[in-house]
Amino acid sequence: MTRQLGLTRIVIVEDHTLFAESLDIALTLEGHDVRRVSPGEGGPTTSMTILAATLHHRPRVALIDLALGATASGVRLIEPLQRAGVSVVVITGCADRLVWGECLRAGASAVLSKSEPLNVTLAAIRHLREGRCVMSREERERLMSASAQDRSELHEVRHRLASLTPRERQVLVHLMHGRSVREIAGTSVVSEATVRTQVKSILAKLHVSSQLAAVSLAHRGGLPVIEVVA
């Protein structure tokens, strides 16, 4: 017989059936009213449809994964769920603490690792029900500060990439493909001296001292790695 004291409506948003079932069983035994939203085949597949399916159950708490298929992201669910009065706990296999910080900045009450024992998740639900913090203020501030710093740096990287001319962007994409100055010159039908001048300009605008650093910055800034035609 399940315990009804302190009953909490919880929705699990998870596309891994075995993990979702384990959570469901553990939380039900704790006396909670558990519902599940399973993105993917036979279920909602976009962030908007997953959000609608979750809110349909009128949960007090939503336990969400971040990886919800090719067309949905758990991060996009956090803010609208939080605005609707739902406490969001992210349970993820992602170990990137910057992503954790983004989740907290979006309004998540806590971020937990899937590698943690189920008791950690159960304790988090108890804390939420009792109005207590799931994560310490120090840990939340540390993760959110790191995330904000990373976002600021990424903005600066993209600003530098945007300063490149179309031709310089083409040359940079060639470098991302591992092509040498000679190969770029041959492909573009220009002299090697011209390409070297363009590379020098790229390095100056990106504030880096090597082609390798420029390529690394381009990857971080999300410059599309596509084949280019002069």
Side-chain angles (χ1 to χ4, degrees), residues 10 12 30 32 35 56 59-60 69 72 79 83 86 106 127 132 141 165 170 175 195 198 201 207 229:
I10 300 173
I12 300 170
E30 282 277 302
H32 300 294
R35 311 296 173 90
H56 173 76
R60 178 179 174 188
E79 187 175 352
R83 286 202 309 266
V86 181
H127 288 173
R132 297 160 57 192
E141 289 180 350
T165 66
Q170 286 185 332
L175 294 175
V195 175
Q198 291 166 338
S201 178
H207 301 175
V229 178

PDB file of all heavy atoms in Angstrom, residues 10 12 30 32 35 56 59-60 69 72 79 83 86 106 127 132 141 165 170 175 195 198 201 207 229:
ATOM      1  N   ILE A  10       3.978  14.404  -9.803  1.00  0.00           N
ATOM      2  CA  ILE A  10       5.291  14.499 -10.448  1.00  0.00           C
ATOM      3  C   ILE A  10       5.200  13.968 -11.870  1.00  0.00           C
ATOM      4  O   ILE A  10       4.613  12.898 -12.108  1.00  0.00           O
ATOM      5  CB  ILE A  10       6.352  13.676  -9.672  1.00  0.00           C
ATOM      6  CG1 ILE A  10       6.492  14.203  -8.242  1.00  0.00           C
ATOM      7  CG2 ILE A  10       7.700  13.718 -10.385  1.00  0.00           C
ATOM      8  CD1 ILE A  10       7.382  13.347  -7.354  1.00  0.00           C
ATOM      9  N   ILE A  12       7.592  12.767 -15.032  1.00  0.00           N
ATOM     10  CA  ILE A  12       8.937  12.384 -15.468  1.00  0.00           C
ATOM     11  C   ILE A  12       9.008  12.561 -16.976  1.00  0.00           C
ATOM     12  O   ILE A  12       8.236  11.950 -17.716  1.00  0.00           O
ATOM     13  CB  ILE A  12       9.247  10.918 -15.101  1.00  0.00           C
ATOM     14  CG1 ILE A  12       9.170  10.727 -13.583  1.00  0.00           C
ATOM     15  CG2 ILE A  12      10.617  10.512 -15.631  1.00  0.00           C
ATOM     16  CD1 ILE A  12       9.223   9.262 -13.164  1.00  0.00           C
ATOM     17  N   GLU A  30       7.108   5.992  -2.696  1.00  0.00           N
ATOM     18  CA  GLU A  30       7.215   7.080  -1.722  1.00  0.00           C
ATOM     19  C   GLU A  30       5.866   7.755  -1.490  1.00  0.00           C
ATOM     20  O   GLU A  30       5.718   8.589  -0.610  1.00  0.00           O
ATOM     21  CB  GLU A  30       8.213   8.130  -2.217  1.00  0.00           C
ATOM     22  CG  GLU A  30       9.663   7.742  -2.042  1.00  0.00           C
ATOM     23  CD  GLU A  30      10.159   8.031  -0.631  1.00  0.00           C
ATOM     24  OE1 GLU A  30      10.101   9.192  -0.202  1.00  0.00           O
ATOM     25  OE2 GLU A  30      10.596   7.072   0.030  1.00  0.00           O
ATOM     26  N   HIS A  32       3.951   9.259  -4.120  1.00  0.00           N
ATOM     27  CA  HIS A  32       3.678  10.348  -5.053  1.00  0.00           C
ATOM     28  C   HIS A  32       2.794   9.888  -6.206  1.00  0.00           C
ATOM     29  O   HIS A  32       2.742   8.704  -6.549  1.00  0.00           O
ATOM     30  CB  HIS A  32       4.997  10.905  -5.595  1.00  0.00           C
ATOM     31  CG  HIS A  32       5.902  11.440  -4.536  1.00  0.00           C
ATOM     32  ND1 HIS A  32       5.590  12.546  -3.793  1.00  0.00           N
ATOM     33  CD2 HIS A  32       7.112  11.000  -4.081  1.00  0.00           C
ATOM     34  CE1 HIS A  32       6.570  12.783  -2.933  1.00  0.00           C
ATOM     35  NE2 HIS A  32       7.497  11.863  -3.083  1.00  0.00           N
ATOM     36  N   ARG A  35       3.337  10.637 -13.165  1.00  0.00           N
ATOM     37  CA  ARG A  35       2.943  10.533 -14.579  1.00  0.00           C
ATOM     38  C   ARG A  35       4.214  10.584 -15.414  1.00  0.00           C
ATOM     39  O   ARG A  35       5.242  11.100 -14.965  1.00  0.00           O
ATOM     40  CB  ARG A  35       2.011  11.669 -14.987  1.00  0.00           C
ATOM     41  CG  ARG A  35       0.841  11.887 -14.028  1.00  0.00           C
ATOM     42  CD  ARG A  35      -0.103  10.707 -13.984  1.00  0.00           C
ATOM     43  NE  ARG A  35      -1.121  10.868 -12.952  1.00  0.00           N
ATOM     44  CZ  ARG A  35      -2.296  11.442 -13.145  1.00  0.00           C
ATOM     45  NH1 ARG A  35      -2.595  11.950 -14.352  1.00  0.00           N
ATOM     46  NH2 ARG A  35      -3.177  11.537 -12.164  1.00  0.00           N
ATOM     47  N   HIS A  56      -0.146  19.309 -19.304  1.00  0.00           N
ATOM     48  CA  HIS A  56      -1.454  18.654 -19.321  1.00  0.00           C
ATOM     49  C   HIS A  56      -1.707  17.904 -18.013  1.00  0.00           C
ATOM     50  O   HIS A  56      -2.852  17.808 -17.539  1.00  0.00           O
ATOM     51  CB  HIS A  56      -1.547  17.697 -20.512  1.00  0.00           C
ATOM     52  CG  HIS A  56      -2.793  16.863 -20.510  1.00  0.00           C
ATOM     53  ND1 HIS A  56      -4.024  17.365 -20.862  1.00  0.00           N
ATOM     54  CD2 HIS A  56      -3.002  15.539 -20.194  1.00  0.00           C
ATOM     55  CE1 HIS A  56      -4.938  16.410 -20.762  1.00  0.00           C
ATOM     56  NE2 HIS A  56      -4.343  15.300 -20.366  1.00  0.00           N
ATOM     57  N   PRO A  59       1.537  19.124 -13.094  1.00  0.00           N
ATOM     58  CA  PRO A  59       2.456  18.646 -12.048  1.00  0.00           C
ATOM     59  C   PRO A  59       2.874  19.741 -11.084  1.00  0.00           C
ATOM     60  O   PRO A  59       2.813  20.931 -11.405  1.00  0.00           O
ATOM     61  CB  PRO A  59       3.664  18.175 -12.857  1.00  0.00           C
ATOM     62  CG  PRO A  59       3.684  19.106 -14.029  1.00  0.00           C
ATOM     63  CD  PRO A  59       2.235  19.344 -14.374  1.00  0.00           C
ATOM     64  N   ARG A  60       3.281  19.331  -9.901  1.00  0.00           N
ATOM     65  CA  ARG A  60       3.937  20.255  -8.983  1.00  0.00           C
ATOM     66  C   ARG A  60       5.439  20.232  -9.229  1.00  0.00           C
ATOM     67  O   ARG A  60       6.122  21.233  -9.069  1.00  0.00           O
ATOM     68  CB  ARG A  60       3.649  19.857  -7.540  1.00  0.00           C
ATOM     69  CG  ARG A  60       4.347  20.757  -6.521  1.00  0.00           C
ATOM     70  CD  ARG A  60       4.030  20.373  -5.102  1.00  0.00           C
ATOM     71  NE  ARG A  60       4.807  21.152  -4.155  1.00  0.00           N
ATOM     72  CZ  ARG A  60       4.842  20.921  -2.854  1.00  0.00           C
ATOM     73  NH1 ARG A  60       4.133  19.929  -2.344  1.00  0.00           N
ATOM     74  NH2 ARG A  60       5.586  21.666  -2.061  1.00  0.00           N
ATOM     75  N   GLY A  69      15.928  13.603 -27.675  1.00  0.00           N
ATOM     76  CA  GLY A  69      15.807  13.323 -29.097  1.00  0.00           C
ATOM     77  C   GLY A  69      16.430  14.414 -29.942  1.00  0.00           C
ATOM     78  O   GLY A  69      16.955  15.408 -29.435  1.00  0.00           O
ATOM     79  N   ALA A  72      14.315  18.055 -29.750  1.00  0.00           N
ATOM     80  CA  ALA A  72      13.864  18.642 -28.486  1.00  0.00           C
ATOM     81  C   ALA A  72      15.020  18.753 -27.505  1.00  0.00           C
ATOM     82  O   ALA A  72      15.951  17.957 -27.533  1.00  0.00           O
ATOM     83  CB  ALA A  72      12.745  17.802 -27.883  1.00  0.00           C
ATOM     84  N   GLU A  79      12.319  27.131 -18.393  1.00  0.00           N
ATOM     85  CA  GLU A  79      11.730  28.448 -18.126  1.00  0.00           C
ATOM     86  C   GLU A  79      10.207  28.448 -18.209  1.00  0.00           C
ATOM     87  O   GLU A  79       9.535  28.956 -17.295  1.00  0.00           O
ATOM     88  CB  GLU A  79      12.321  29.499 -19.062  1.00  0.00           C
ATOM     89  CG  GLU A  79      11.867  30.907 -18.727  1.00  0.00           C
ATOM     90  CD  GLU A  79      12.546  31.958 -19.577  1.00  0.00           C
ATOM     91  OE1 GLU A  79      13.483  31.613 -20.326  1.00  0.00           O
ATOM     92  OE2 GLU A  79      12.136  33.133 -19.493  1.00  0.00           O
ATOM     93  N   ARG A  83       7.689  29.180 -15.087  1.00  0.00           N
ATOM     94  CA  ARG A  83       6.703  30.257 -15.140  1.00  0.00           C
ATOM     95  C   ARG A  83       5.301  29.744 -14.831  1.00  0.00           C
ATOM     96  O   ARG A  83       4.458  30.480 -14.315  1.00  0.00           O
ATOM     97  CB  ARG A  83       6.708  30.924 -16.520  1.00  0.00           C
ATOM     98  CG  ARG A  83       7.892  31.824 -16.780  1.00  0.00           C
ATOM     99  CD  ARG A  83       7.567  32.830 -17.881  1.00  0.00           C
ATOM    100  NE  ARG A  83       7.023  32.187 -19.065  1.00  0.00           N
ATOM    101  CZ  ARG A  83       7.743  31.814 -20.108  1.00  0.00           C
ATOM    102  NH1 ARG A  83       9.057  32.010 -20.133  1.00  0.00           N
ATOM    103  NH2 ARG A  83       7.171  31.246 -21.156  1.00  0.00           N
ATOM    104  N   VAL A  86       5.746  25.217 -11.907  1.00  0.00           N
ATOM    105  CA  VAL A  86       6.256  23.855 -11.736  1.00  0.00           C
ATOM    106  C   VAL A  86       7.711  23.905 -11.286  1.00  0.00           C
ATOM    107  O   VAL A  86       8.524  24.613 -11.897  1.00  0.00           O
ATOM    108  CB  VAL A  86       6.156  23.056 -13.059  1.00  0.00           C
ATOM    109  CG1 VAL A  86       6.671  21.636 -12.872  1.00  0.00           C
ATOM    110  CG2 VAL A  86       4.720  23.056 -13.567  1.00  0.00           C
ATOM    111  N   ALA A 106      18.141  29.202 -16.054  1.00  0.00           N
ATOM    112  CA  ALA A 106      16.817  29.156 -16.682  1.00  0.00           C
ATOM    113  C   ALA A 106      15.710  28.966 -15.660  1.00  0.00           C
ATOM    114  O   ALA A 106      14.530  29.139 -15.981  1.00  0.00           O
ATOM    115  CB  ALA A 106      16.772  28.036 -17.721  1.00  0.00           C
ATOM    116  N   HIS A 127      12.813  17.682  -0.208  1.00  0.00           N
ATOM    117  CA  HIS A 127      13.230  19.059   0.066  1.00  0.00           C
ATOM    118  C   HIS A 127      12.298  20.056  -0.609  1.00  0.00           C
ATOM    119  O   HIS A 127      11.924  21.083  -0.008  1.00  0.00           O
ATOM    120  CB  HIS A 127      14.665  19.268  -0.405  1.00  0.00           C
ATOM    121  CG  HIS A 127      15.673  18.588   0.461  1.00  0.00           C
ATOM    122  ND1 HIS A 127      17.015  18.534   0.131  1.00  0.00           N
ATOM    123  CD2 HIS A 127      15.557  17.925   1.643  1.00  0.00           C
ATOM    124  CE1 HIS A 127      17.671  17.885   1.071  1.00  0.00           C
ATOM    125  NE2 HIS A 127      16.799  17.500   1.995  1.00  0.00           N
ATOM    126  N   ARG A 132      12.427  23.499   1.007  1.00  0.00           N
ATOM    127  CA  ARG A 132      13.855  23.640   1.281  1.00  0.00           C
ATOM    128  C   ARG A 132      14.641  23.630  -0.027  1.00  0.00           C
ATOM    129  O   ARG A 132      14.185  23.124  -1.051  1.00  0.00           O
ATOM    130  CB  ARG A 132      14.343  22.500   2.179  1.00  0.00           C
ATOM    131  CG  ARG A 132      13.695  22.488   3.553  1.00  0.00           C
ATOM    132  CD  ARG A 132      13.805  21.133   4.218  1.00  0.00           C
ATOM    133  NE  ARG A 132      15.204  20.697   4.330  1.00  0.00           N
ATOM    134  CZ  ARG A 132      15.561  19.462   4.664  1.00  0.00           C
ATOM    135  NH1 ARG A 132      14.640  18.537   4.872  1.00  0.00           N
ATOM    136  NH2 ARG A 132      16.843  19.152   4.753  1.00  0.00           N
ATOM    137  N   GLU A 141      25.439  29.353  -7.103  1.00  0.00           N
ATOM    138  CA  GLU A 141      26.100  30.576  -7.543  1.00  0.00           C
ATOM    139  C   GLU A 141      27.371  30.268  -8.328  1.00  0.00           C
ATOM    140  O   GLU A 141      27.675  30.942  -9.312  1.00  0.00           O
ATOM    141  CB  GLU A 141      26.410  31.458  -6.337  1.00  0.00           C
ATOM    142  CG  GLU A 141      25.168  32.092  -5.723  1.00  0.00           C
ATOM    143  CD  GLU A 141      25.501  32.964  -4.530  1.00  0.00           C
ATOM    144  OE1 GLU A 141      26.658  32.927  -4.064  1.00  0.00           O
ATOM    145  OE2 GLU A 141      24.595  33.683  -4.064  1.00  0.00           O
ATOM    146  N   THR A 165      35.508  39.426 -43.124  1.00  0.00           N
ATOM    147  CA  THR A 165      34.868  39.625 -44.419  1.00  0.00           C
ATOM    148  C   THR A 165      34.408  38.272 -44.948  1.00  0.00           C
ATOM    149  O   THR A 165      34.875  37.216 -44.491  1.00  0.00           O
ATOM    150  CB  THR A 165      35.842  40.249 -45.425  1.00  0.00           C
ATOM    151  OG1 THR A 165      36.892  39.299 -45.703  1.00  0.00           O
ATOM    152  CG2 THR A 165      36.450  41.546 -44.894  1.00  0.00           C
ATOM    153  N   GLN A 170      35.621  32.429 -45.714  1.00  0.00           N
ATOM    154  CA  GLN A 170      35.879  31.296 -46.600  1.00  0.00           C
ATOM    155  C   GLN A 170      37.248  30.694 -46.321  1.00  0.00           C
ATOM    156  O   GLN A 170      37.400  29.466 -46.239  1.00  0.00           O
ATOM    157  CB  GLN A 170      35.791  31.736 -48.061  1.00  0.00           C
ATOM    158  CG  GLN A 170      34.386  31.976 -48.568  1.00  0.00           C
ATOM    159  CD  GLN A 170      34.386  32.299 -50.058  1.00  0.00           C
ATOM    160  OE1 GLN A 170      35.364  32.838 -50.591  1.00  0.00           O
ATOM    161  NE2 GLN A 170      33.301  31.957 -50.721  1.00  0.00           N
ATOM    162  N   LEU A 175      40.690  26.477 -43.590  1.00  0.00           N
ATOM    163  CA  LEU A 175      41.616  26.098 -42.515  1.00  0.00           C
ATOM    164  C   LEU A 175      40.974  25.068 -41.587  1.00  0.00           C
ATOM    165  O   LEU A 175      41.638  24.159 -41.094  1.00  0.00           O
ATOM    166  CB  LEU A 175      42.041  27.334 -41.721  1.00  0.00           C
ATOM    167  CG  LEU A 175      42.882  28.378 -42.467  1.00  0.00           C
ATOM    168  CD1 LEU A 175      43.124  29.592 -41.573  1.00  0.00           C
ATOM    169  CD2 LEU A 175      44.217  27.785 -42.923  1.00  0.00           C
ATOM    170  N   VAL A 195      46.724  34.715 -49.908  1.00  0.00           N
ATOM    171  CA  VAL A 195      46.111  33.895 -48.854  1.00  0.00           C
ATOM    172  C   VAL A 195      46.792  34.172 -47.507  1.00  0.00           C
ATOM    173  O   VAL A 195      46.136  34.282 -46.471  1.00  0.00           O
ATOM    174  CB  VAL A 195      46.183  32.398 -49.194  1.00  0.00           C
ATOM    175  CG1 VAL A 195      45.642  31.563 -48.035  1.00  0.00           C
ATOM    176  CG2 VAL A 195      45.393  32.100 -50.462  1.00  0.00           C
ATOM    177  N   GLN A 198      45.477  37.255 -46.112  1.00  0.00           N
ATOM    178  CA  GLN A 198      44.133  37.034 -45.574  1.00  0.00           C
ATOM    179  C   GLN A 198      44.191  36.303 -44.230  1.00  0.00           C
ATOM    180  O   GLN A 198      43.455  36.647 -43.297  1.00  0.00           O
ATOM    181  CB  GLN A 198      43.301  36.228 -46.585  1.00  0.00           C
ATOM    182  CG  GLN A 198      42.978  37.020 -47.850  1.00  0.00           C
ATOM    183  CD  GLN A 198      42.475  36.155 -48.979  1.00  0.00           C
ATOM    184  OE1 GLN A 198      42.717  34.944 -49.015  1.00  0.00           O
ATOM    185  NE2 GLN A 198      41.789  36.775 -49.937  1.00  0.00           N
ATOM    186  N   SER A 201      45.208  38.687 -41.538  1.00  0.00           N
ATOM    187  CA  SER A 201      44.086  39.542 -41.152  1.00  0.00           C
ATOM    188  C   SER A 201      43.117  38.788 -40.245  1.00  0.00           C
ATOM    189  O   SER A 201      42.588  39.341 -39.269  1.00  0.00           O
ATOM    190  CB  SER A 201      43.352  40.038 -42.395  1.00  0.00           C
ATOM    191  OG  SER A 201      42.232  40.820 -42.054  1.00  0.00           O
ATOM    192  N   HIS A 207      42.145  38.006 -32.662  1.00  0.00           N
ATOM    193  CA  HIS A 207      43.034  38.202 -31.517  1.00  0.00           C
ATOM    194  C   HIS A 207      43.737  36.911 -31.106  1.00  0.00           C
ATOM    195  O   HIS A 207      43.819  36.593 -29.921  1.00  0.00           O
ATOM    196  CB  HIS A 207      42.262  38.766 -30.316  1.00  0.00           C
ATOM    197  CG  HIS A 207      41.589  40.068 -30.578  1.00  0.00           C
ATOM    198  ND1 HIS A 207      40.769  40.687 -29.660  1.00  0.00           N
ATOM    199  CD2 HIS A 207      41.595  40.890 -31.661  1.00  0.00           C
ATOM    200  CE1 HIS A 207      40.303  41.816 -30.165  1.00  0.00           C
ATOM    201  NE2 HIS A 207      40.805  41.953 -31.384  1.00  0.00           N
ATOM    202  N   VAL A 229      33.177  27.241 -52.083  1.00  0.00           N
ATOM    203  CA  VAL A 229      33.600  27.379 -53.472  1.00  0.00           C
ATOM    204  C   VAL A 229      34.004  28.822 -53.703  1.00  0.00           C
ATOM    205  O   VAL A 229      33.243  29.745 -53.381  1.00  0.00           O
ATOM    206  CB  VAL A 229      32.481  26.985 -54.456  1.00  0.00           C
ATOM    207  CG1 VAL A 229      32.951  27.187 -55.901  1.00  0.00           C
ATOM    208  CG2 VAL A 229      32.043  25.558 -54.211  1.00  0.00           C
TER     209      VAL A 229
END
